[in-house]
Amino acid sequence: MRNSHPILLVEDDRVDVMTVERAFKDVKVTNRLVCTGNGEEALEYLKTENNRQPCVILLDLNMPKMNGIDFLKIAKGEEELKKIPVIVLTTSREEQDVAESFNLSVAGYIVKPVDYKRFVEAIRVLELYWTLSELPDGE
Amino acid sequence: MNHGEKEMVHRILVIDDNPDIHKDFQTILLEEEHGAELDELRTKVFGDNTGESAAGSRYELSFAFQGKEGSEKIKHTLSEDRPYELVFVDSRMPPGWDGLETIEHIWKTDPHIQVVLCTAYSDYSWEEITKRLGKSENLLMLKKPFDSAEVAQLASALTEKWGLARQASMKMEQLEQMVKERTDELTKTNEQLEQEVAERKRAQEKQTELLEQIESINRELRDFASIVSHDLKAPLRGIKTLANWISTDYADKLDKDGREQINLLSGRVDWMHQLIEGVLEYSRVGRTKEERVQVNLSEVVPKVIDMVVPPENITITVENELPTIECEPTRIMQVFENLLSNAVKYMDKPNGQIKVGYVEDDSFLKFSVSDNGPGIEEKHFEKIFQIFQTLSPRENSESTGVGLTIIKKIVELYGGKIWVESTVGEGSTFFFTLPKQKIRGKNAKLASNTVG
């Protein structure tokens, strides 16, 4: 991505975190990846003053403590946070999850491919898109 | 009437302290009876039917000298169910009760009895009488000295009156009995109805309960689908990814066996992933709502054939013109797609022939997809429609054993049936029916909002 803002990953599965980290390396995404394990931790990061606001949030839906949908309900209700694009990255193909996510203004919804190579492709497309697209000013 | 015999004899009581009076009554009333006998004789001899003077008038006379004695007689005969119909009561009977007192006692015992009060002179005024006895239709006064015709007429008229009153009261009783029977019947019917209403109410409550249970089971199924999709797929993806990394990151460290094992591991993960997707797909049938529209199968089936992409050695033909039916387009397409892709997948002949057929009878549309593939042994005809049942070896097979199960579910949702007929080595034909009632097949040319 063009800017130096970090990318926030909200994901509880360690292998999935590793997958994203590895894919970022393979696609040569230079932005720093900030990893949080659930919605609560993500909000805590976003609300801590000295932390740099992320340019994009990658959000898993099925997580302990606070799941992705509940995170979106809070984040999209706050002036400072709602402009940050959120891309859902999940295993769920359930129509209800898709509909609810878009109702909460997500920028995209990607079902995690089982195959790593295809996962890398997905991250590559994401990187391309967010390089092409303008982003709101962070600070 | 079963009283017939009794009705013929009219019982009369005379209460008078004067034995001469007794004799007079006997003479008057029994003479008349004698006359009746003469009449009968006359009828017999001359065949004359006009002798009506004594029709039915036969009396049984009893006598008492005192009011109390008379009252006792009345009590006694009443208890034997042989009541007096008429009583002549003298007004003065010293030393005992006088006429009015006697009548008071008599009516206490039998209020239906007809009474004639016989007076020598004006013993009582009518006012006095009604004052003591109350107004009664069962009381007459007879002034002495008697006119015998008058006595005979009174006896005849009053016993007739008594008989009629008795008949009327019996009719009344009968009517009351009938009313009671009807009322009982109604009450019974009413009770039955109430019981039925209660039973129906219970049935309805049971039904509501069952519907709630079904609803809750459906909810559980939905939850199950989401559990399967999230919680089973996530770790699986992890395994797949890690296997992939091991095989790339440690390629130089793994020998041939190691690489083979990693490949097998990876294949098993793909397999399980397909099974999970199959379960999800199966659970989605009937869960997802789709609008019913007119679907022209003549246009839809060729499109499905294109989607299946048959290889060059396989020809798929539609043998008859297919109808337009009202249904969910995705579902019916899935039925044809699964049947056709199965036929293609298992084709073992160099020149594969797959045919789509259609016939119609009174209540059903019957479709068929037949092939000249390997065929299926009869013992598997049922099994292949069960979930995860596949006849091909699991190794390297694309088949998960979900496709036919899904078709079966769809066809059954429409109230139809699906079955297979097959000869091993020659091919199989899958038949499925759709009831006309459920899909209201219309003429293809008339359909306006047709999906095709």
Side-chain angles (χ1 to χ4, degrees):
Chain A
M1 284 169 223
R2 289 182 303 195
N3 62 47
S4 58
H5 284 276
I7 291 169
L8 177 65
L9 175 66
V10 193
E11 171 65 75
D12 64 315
D13 187 320
R14 219 181 122 226
V15 178
D16 281 345
V17 173
M18 284 163 71
T19 311
V20 175
E21 282 173 342
R22 191 176 167 119
F24 269 37
K25 210 176 283 171
D26 284 357
V27 180
K28 298 188 174 60
V29 178
T30 52
N31 304 58
R32 191 164 66 90
L33 187 70
V34 177
C35 301
T36 53
N38 60 57
E40 272 181 17
E41 285 179 23
L43 283 174
E44 202 181 303
Y45 173 85
L46 291 166
K47 286 178 176 178
T48 305
E49 266 196 34
N50 291 331
N51 289 340
R52 286 196 74 186
Q53 288 294 56
C55 56
V56 166
I57 298 172
L58 300 177
L59 178 70
D60 185 24
L61 288 186
N62 198 29
M63 290 179 295
K65 287 184 188 165
M66 185 191 284
N67 68 30
I69 297 293
D70 288 340
F71 167 81
L72 282 171
K73 281 178 187 161
I74 295 169
K76 290 301 178 185
E78 297 200 6
E79 209 54 44
E80 278 307 301
L81 302 181
K82 71 177 181 190
K83 61 188 176 192
I84 307 172
V86 178
I87 294 124
V88 172
L89 203 57
T90 179
T91 39
S92 167
R93 279 178 203 280
E94 291 298 300
E95 275 172 42
Q96 201 194 331
D97 286 337
V98 179
E100 232 177 323
S101 298
F102 280 101
N103 277 340
L104 289 163
S105 312
V106 297
Y109 190 107
I110 295 165
V111 177
K112 292 174 190 168
V114 177
D115 189 66
Y116 173 70
K117 280 180 195 124
R118 288 177 56 204
F119 189 85
V120 172
E121 284 315 304
I123 294 295
R124 195 191 304 283
V125 173
L126 264 186
E127 205 272 337
L128 267 173
Y129 179 76
W130 289 113
T131 305
L132 185 69
S133 169
E134 294 295 330
L135 283 161
D137 272 340
E139 281 136 53
Chain B
M1 217 173 272
N2 54 355
H3 302 277
E5 196 78 16
K6 280 188 201 162
E7 295 305 311
M8 296 302 289
V9 182
H10 301 292
R11 270 182 284 277
I12 296 172
L13 177 65
V14 176
I15 309 175
D16 203 308
D17 56 335
N18 185 352
D20 291 340
I21 297 290
H22 292 191
K23 215 168 268 169
D24 287 347
F25 272 98
Q26 196 151 6
T27 313
I28 296 166
L29 295 175
L30 292 187
E31 238 171 39
E32 197 177 337
E33 186 171 14
H34 184 66
E37 276 170 2
L38 278 177
D39 282 346
E40 265 176 74
L41 195 65
R42 202 184 302 138
T43 308
K44 274 180 192 159
V45 174
F46 300 105
D48 183 359
N49 268 336
T50 54
E52 290 175 16
S53 63
S57 297
R58 278 177 60 208
Y59 304 114
E60 188 185 304
L61 279 179
S62 306
F63 301 96
F65 291 96
Q66 286 292 307
K68 198 168 180 183
E69 184 196 349
S71 178
E72 291 300 324
K73 278 197 160 162
I74 286 166
K75 243 181 234 172
H76 181 69
T77 51
L78 191 66
S79 73
E80 287 182 340
D81 198 24
R82 303 167 41 241
Y84 288 109
E85 298 173 19
L86 172 60
V87 57
F88 289 91
V89 183
D90 188 20
S91 62
R92 292 186 171 215
M93 297 175 284
W97 301 338
D98 71 356
L100 289 185
E101 197 173 356
T102 306
I103 294 169
E104 277 173 337
H105 280 93
I106 288 171
W107 277 346
K108 258 180 221 160
T109 310
D110 183 1
H112 303 294
I113 197 162
Q114 302 292 315
V115 177
V116 176
L117 182 62
C118 309
T119 54
Y121 26 81
S122 253
D123 293 311
Y124 315 102
S125 71
W126 187 245
E127 282 81 21
E128 206 179 336
I129 292 166
T130 49
K131 204 176 159 193
R132 276 190 63 180
L133 300 175
K135 269 190 183 164
S136 175
E137 280 155 10
N138 294 346
L139 180 68
L140 281 177
M141 295 227 306
L142 179 65
K143 292 265 166 65
K144 287 178 185 173
F146 310 140
D147 176 77
S148 54
E150 203 175 346
V151 170
Q153 277 172 7
L154 275 174
S156 167
L158 290 177
T159 51
E160 179 74 13
K161 186 186 167 200
W162 183 89
L164 288 173
R166 188 182 164 97
Q167 269 181 27
S169 109
M170 273 181 347
K171 272 262 161 60
M172 200 68 191
E173 264 174 42
Q174 244 182 353
L175 280 174
E176 274 170 9
Q177 182 61 29
M178 276 165 75
V179 168
K180 191 178 172 292
E181 276 167 18
R182 292 286 156 83
T183 311
D184 288 353
E185 227 167 272
L186 268 176
T187 313
K188 214 169 150 194
T189 314
N190 210 20
E191 276 167 10
Q192 269 175 358
L193 271 175
E194 273 170 19
Q195 210 174 330
E196 274 168 31
V197 167
E199 264 167 36
R200 189 166 301 177
K201 207 179 155 207
R202 268 200 297 279
Q204 265 168 357
E205 280 168 2
K206 183 91 191 164
Q207 198 179 7
T208 316
E209 202 178 296
L210 285 174
L211 280 175
E212 277 167 11
Q213 274 178 18
I214 290 169
E215 186 57 38
S216 117
I217 289 168
N218 275 340
R219 254 198 313 278
E220 274 171 34
L221 271 176
R222 273 198 292 278
D223 292 349
F224 173 71
S226 120
I227 287 166
V228 168
S229 88
H230 285 115
D231 300 345
L232 297 189
K233 272 158 73 182
L236 201 61
R237 214 187 43 259
I239 296 168
K240 173 85 180 174
T241 308
L242 290 169
N244 190 292
W245 290 343
I246 291 168
S247 67
T248 49
D249 294 0
Y250 302 97
D252 51 340
K253 294 202 172 77
L254 286 170
D255 60 5
K256 195 178 159 238
D257 281 357
R259 276 195 298 277
E260 173 68 8
Q261 282 164 14
I262 290 288
N263 279 343
L264 284 172
L265 173 67
S266 193
R268 289 298 188 277
V269 170
D270 288 342
W271 170 251
M272 183 148 181
H273 184 78
Q274 277 179 37
L275 290 182
I276 291 172
E277 287 296 340
V279 171
L280 277 175
E281 201 184 338
Y282 178 73
S283 79
R284 260 195 291 268
V285 177
R287 203 153 50 90
T288 43
K289 289 257 186 300
E290 192 186 351
E291 211 184 328
R292 281 182 159 223
V293 292
Q294 297 289 322
V295 179
N296 183 353
L297 293 175
S298 289
E299 293 172 23
V300 167
V301 171
K303 280 189 184 174
V304 174
I305 294 172
D306 285 346
M307 278 162 59
V308 170
V309 203
E312 280 188 8
N313 67 319
I314 297 174
T315 332
I316 303 179
T317 47
V318 178
E319 297 206 298
N320 324 76
E321 195 184 341
L322 298 174
T324 292
I325 61 173
E326 193 189 287
C327 66
E328 290 85 346
T330 315
R331 283 195 190 162
I332 200 70
M333 283 171 86
Q334 197 170 13
V335 172
F336 281 104
E337 190 192 337
N338 288 9
L339 287 176
L340 290 170
S341 62
N342 273 353
V344 168
K345 200 194 298 178
Y346 297 110
M347 182 55 70
D348 61 347
K349 306 291 189 304
N351 180 18
Q353 294 288 334
I354 299 170
K355 290 167 185 164
V356 177
Y358 161 69
V359 287
E360 189 178 327
D361 77 0
D362 287 346
S363 50
F364 283 97
L365 309 181
K366 188 165 94 176
F367 298 89
S368 61
V369 173
S370 58
D371 62 61
N372 62 343
I376 298 162
E377 282 181 77
E378 196 176 341
K379 63 178 176 186
H380 299 309
F381 282 4
E382 298 278 332
K383 199 180 162 193
I384 53 169
F385 292 104
Q386 291 164 13
I387 198 160
F388 297 151
Q389 296 297 328
T390 171
L391 301 178
S392 52
R394 297 218 152 166
E395 207 68 38
N396 304 321
S397 166
E398 293 168 47
S399 157
T400 56
V402 175
L404 282 176
T405 316
I406 288 173
I407 300 175
K408 185 169 190 271
K409 192 170 173 184
I410 292 172
V411 168
E412 284 174 357
L413 276 174
Y414 286 117
K417 278 190 188 133
I418 185 162
W419 70 96
V420 66
E421 288 170 13
S422 179
T423 309
V424 174
E426 287 177 23
S428 314
T429 305
F430 284 85
F431 294 96
F432 70 93
T433 58
L434 298 174
K436 281 182 175 175
Q437 221 184 347
K438 281 276 176 78
I439 49 148
R440 282 182 282 160
K442 284 176 190 163
N443 194 319
K445 278 122 203 159
L446 295 174
S448 52
N449 59 334
T450 300
V451 168

